[in-house]
Amino acid sequence: MRRAALLMSVGLVSGLFLCGNSAAKPLPKADKKLWVGQFDQCSYNAIASVLVHFYGPVPKYHNRVKFEKKTFYDPLSAAGFAPYFGWAPWTSYMVDSGKMKWGNKAVRNLVGHRFSLATRQLPKVLNFQEIAVHFAPGERRKLERRLRRKLKKGPVVIWSPYAAELNRQDAWRAVKRVHKGVYIVPFNPGLTHAVTIFRRPGHRKVLVTDCSVMNGWFTARVRTVVCVAAAMSASIRIRFGTHRSIFQRGLAGIHHDKFETVFYRRHRSTTGNR
């Protein structure tokens, strides 16, 4: 997603925000260092946050465009995929290419494993501003436990059907519970967004780093992240005026709603177990 697209306006859900909570007090400096907002695409920032987590701060560079091409674009191209900016699953292909470098250091033993937080019932698009996510009995807690298990392995990049900057407020509070098992998630057709989720040891909430806002780090409930990720499985199937869905326009090869990606380092002693 290009930054220019983030300046568009979009109507939001009104009402009581129940699902997510932003940090009420300043976050530790260690958390803030994981936010990377200096690149042109949100997917670049999302994977850059992962690389900062594993390999240290962003390397110094003189030309941002050349750095982005070498670090993000070229590995994706080498893997045989076009650079669909902002599409979170593509971050796993960057890593899978084996061509990534963080500065002058090769990115070694990093695994990007896609998984699904989709609900069994396809979320329903209510209008061009809202998606209703329906959880079967016990399903939401099951997905929350799945996400927590993944976060123990490493940071998770999720694909969101909205960008936080469009709200002009904290997007991680903009998910609301309608009644038991049903949550409403904001939605903007055609505008998707990559963010990175980090586990915070000793805390029940997780850290969200979002490149679409300055100082874009938030704490959120795990249920909020699950709601947003589940909503993506509906928004990807929206048909536009050309009668072509996002899926038909370039997501062939991503099956079973595996839009979430957990990143972790594989020890040399292991043999390809994902």
Side-chain angles (χ1 to χ4, degrees):
M1 174 199 319
R2 298 191 180 279
R3 288 187 184 278
L6 296 173
L7 299 179
M8 297 168 59
S9 60
V10 63
L12 284 179
V13 179
S14 60
L16 180 61
F17 297 148
L18 297 175
C19 199
N21 279 341
S22 177
K25 56 184 178 181
L27 292 174
K29 290 183 179 180
D31 286 348
K32 294 179 181 180
K33 288 180 180 179
L34 295 171
W35 179 79
V36 180
Q38 57 191 286
F39 299 118
D40 188 48
Q41 312 298 338
C42 62
S43 58
Y44 294 172
N45 283 284
I47 188 62
S49 292
V50 172
L51 296 174
V52 166
H53 173 75
F54 287 113
Y55 300 103
V58 177
K60 293 182 179 180
Y61 57 85
H62 299 291
N63 187 304
R64 178 181 57 80
V65 174
K66 289 183 178 180
F67 182 87
E68 289 180 357
K69 184 177 185 302
K70 178 182 177 182
T71 307
F72 311 113
Y73 184 100
D74 288 350
L76 192 58
S77 178
F81 295 94
Y84 291 102
F85 306 123
W87 291 16
W90 261 228
T91 59
S92 66
Y93 294 134
M94 295 180 196
V95 173
D96 289 346
S97 71
K99 303 292 185 180
M100 288 201 79
K101 290 186 177 181
W102 197 228
N104 294 322
K105 296 182 180 180
V107 174
R108 302 290 188 189
N109 302 317
L110 187 63
V111 175
H113 176 61
R114 294 197 310 277
F115 65 100
S116 176
L117 290 174
T119 53
R120 288 195 295 272
Q121 180 178 342
L122 186 68
K124 183 178 180 180
V125 178
L126 304 178
N127 47 52
F128 284 101
Q129 295 181 353
E130 301 173 321
I131 293 178
V133 178
H134 296 260
F135 294 99
E139 186 177 36
R140 196 202 76 210
R141 292 187 181 277
K142 178 181 178 181
L143 294 177
E144 288 179 20
R145 289 194 296 269
R146 180 179 300 169
L147 177 58
R148 288 190 185 277
R149 287 196 301 270
K150 299 298 183 181
L151 287 169
K152 285 183 179 180
K153 300 181 71 173
V156 171
V157 173
I158 74 166
W159 210 12
S160 164
Y162 61 83
E165 188 172 342
L166 299 176
N167 303 21
R168 303 300 178 186
Q169 57 182 306
D170 179 3
W172 297 94
R173 293 180 62 87
V175 174
K176 68 178 182 179
R177 180 177 180 269
V178 179
H179 50 78
K180 187 175 181 179
V182 180
Y183 293 81
I184 301 296
V185 178
F187 167 62
N188 188 41
L191 181 56
T192 60
H193 187 56
V195 298
T196 311
I197 314 299
F198 293 89
R199 176 174 173 257
R200 302 182 70 219
H203 298 265
R204 291 189 59 82
K205 295 179 182 179
V206 295
L207 176 71
V208 180
T209 60
D210 190 335
C211 68
S212 71
V213 288
M214 291 300 297
N215 303 322
W217 51 82
F218 311 96
T219 56
R221 296 178 184 175
V222 174
R223 78 170 71 164
T224 301
V225 177
V226 166
C227 288
V228 170
M232 196 65 225
S233 64
S235 65
I236 193 175
R237 290 172 174 81
I238 293 297
R239 291 184 177 273
F240 299 93
T242 57
H243 304 292
R244 301 175 68 194
S245 69
I246 297 178
F247 188 87
Q248 293 168 320
R249 292 165 72 182
L251 282 177
I254 295 181
H255 305 294
H256 308 299
D257 294 315
K258 291 185 177 180
F259 305 141
E260 293 73 53
T261 306
V262 58
F263 291 92
Y264 58 92
R265 296 189 71 172
R266 180 165 46 213
H267 297 296
R268 295 180 185 276
S269 59
T270 61
T271 55
N273 180 21
R274 290 194 179 189

